[in-house]
Amino acid sequence: MNGDIDQVVERIAALPNVRQAAQAAADLTELWPLTSALHMDNDARYCENLQVRLSRLAAQVMSGERIPMADAEFVYEGADSIPGRPQETVDALNAANDAIETLAGFASSHDVHELLDAADTLDAGWSGATSTAVTTAVGNAEDFVAARTETKVESIAWRYAVVVVLLNELMRVATTQLAGALGDEEPTAGGAPEQRVRGLERLALPFFLFINDFAATLQLPQICLTAEQFHGVVASYATPNGDDDAVDAATVLAQALAPIAGAEWRRHRGDILWDPKEAKERARQEDERKNKEALAAKFAHVKDDPSKPEVEL
């Protein structure tokens, strides 16, 4: 991270959609510590579902195939094979789960080797130069955070901005390796060739899993992208538009991820607070309302036609 990191982080933290996402994170984190057994059970189910979604994303990137959630859930539960499904799909899901579990140790160890090991598990294909650059970027980010938070507690928006700036730096490391392998892509108004996007997806995949564990060191909730969202973000890095400014790139990335993060954090909060009894009662009331509306619509023509007797409902 360069000497202007303070200004970059502050600029990103002040973006309106970043502040909106930060509010969603604040609404979620204010629930802790959870004391209700129901809420703790709900949170555990949310976390399990999040890992399933993350492993599905990673396996889809690794295999290039669409994978049903049911398959990802089956493998998460310990399956080593799925009848009627290619073994490559199961292997990719198992590798994704192994990588996620490896990365989970970073929040307590702060050991970047957790990320390097996960990259190997995901067969990301990092070069030695990329591994070294990744190690440096993560170390610099942690040093920056430690220096800033030594005497004060920074806002959620500020912490989110740091995460985004690091992710942008890591993406730039990946694009450097890609350029070394495929050459520099000329600025274009269209999309990058599929080979280029796919290559960058494999290189960048560990970053999008790791960034949750880095965020955890800043007391930020996790997020998960769909395969389509991940593809869109990576494609934007694979397709240069003539502007190679790191600050602008980090700002655009922050704006792209903020709505995704905000939606995830609202979902997490809703899942924790979900009460089956309340949900059942709301469903009953909604069914009752729809039935009344349907009945009223059925006899509306009677009230509109003066030649027919009035029907009391």
Side-chain angles (χ1 to χ4, degrees):
M1 292 191 174
N2 59 41
D4 296 329
I5 184 61
D6 279 317
Q7 290 84 353
V8 177
V9 170
E10 295 293 347
R11 170 179 167 179
I12 290 174
L15 295 171
N17 58 356
V18 169
R19 296 173 69 88
Q20 290 173 3
Q23 183 58 56
D27 293 341
L28 169 60
T29 55
E30 73 178 3
L31 297 177
W32 270 269
L34 300 176
T35 56
S36 160
L38 173 62
H39 292 168
M40 287 188 281
D41 286 345
N42 287 345
D43 184 53
R45 282 194 293 271
Y46 167 84
C47 292
E48 289 176 355
N49 177 263
L50 178 67
Q51 178 159 339
V52 171
R53 289 188 287 138
L54 287 168
S55 66
R56 180 190 184 209
L57 164 65
Q60 288 185 143
V61 173
M62 295 171 71
S63 67
E65 302 291 336
R66 295 192 65 84
I67 298 174
M69 273 292 289
D71 287 0
E73 290 168 351
F74 199 39
V75 173
Y76 175 77
E77 294 295 335
D80 289 324
S81 62
I82 302 176
R85 298 292 294 166
Q87 187 59 38
E88 291 80 3
T89 297
V90 178
D91 292 343
L93 286 165
N94 275 315
N97 280 304
D98 288 345
I100 292 168
E101 290 169 8
T102 296
L103 288 168
F106 179 83
S108 57
S109 71
H110 295 263
D111 185 353
V112 74
H113 287 94
E114 310 277 7
L115 173 53
L116 303 183
D117 290 344
D120 287 341
T121 300
L122 296 170
D123 196 22
W126 289 357
S127 66
T130 292
S131 296
T132 299
V134 165
T135 300
T136 300
V138 173
N140 287 345
E142 291 213 288
D143 289 345
F144 171 73
V145 170
R148 280 293 300 261
T149 58
E150 186 175 8
T151 57
K152 62 181 294 191
V153 177
E154 295 288 357
S155 70
I156 290 176
W158 185 92
R159 285 176 270 155
Y160 166 87
V162 172
V163 171
V164 171
V165 169
L166 173 58
L167 180 58
N168 178 61
E169 290 230 345
L170 295 174
M171 287 299 299
R172 291 167 70 83
V173 170
T175 57
T176 297
Q177 178 173 333
L178 185 73
L182 301 180
D184 289 318
E185 179 75 353
E186 292 296 324
T188 175
E194 186 64 20
Q195 177 192 17
R196 198 171 195 90
V197 177
R198 285 282 297 151
L200 190 56
E201 283 185 333
R202 292 302 299 269
L203 289 167
L205 177 59
F207 303 148
F208 283 80
L209 301 180
F210 165 75
I211 210 65
N212 274 331
D213 300 286
F214 178 81
T217 67
L218 301 177
Q219 291 77 54
L220 279 177
Q222 296 185 323
I223 67 170
C224 179
L225 276 65
T226 65
E228 292 75 16
Q229 290 166 339
F230 174 77
H231 182 82
V233 171
V234 172
S236 69
Y237 281 89
T239 310
N241 59 11
D243 182 3
D244 194 38
D245 185 80
V247 174
D248 288 346
T251 303
V252 171
L253 179 61
Q255 291 174 319
L257 293 183
I260 298 171
E264 186 67 44
W265 296 334
R266 286 188 290 272
R267 170 181 178 170
H268 190 172
R269 185 175 188 274
D271 283 1
I272 289 175
L273 297 179
W274 181 78
D275 186 312
K277 293 181 180 178
E278 291 181 3
K280 184 176 180 180
E281 177 60 21
R282 285 196 299 270
R284 185 194 66 77
Q285 292 175 357
E286 180 65 12
D287 287 343
E288 187 176 86
R289 181 188 66 79
K290 290 180 178 179
N291 288 338
K292 287 181 178 179
E293 290 179 353
L295 190 60
K298 180 177 180 180
F299 289 101
H301 68 284
V302 176
K303 293 184 177 182
D304 294 339
D305 188 344
S307 67
K308 294 186 178 180
E310 191 77 15
V311 176
E312 292 187 3
L313 302 180

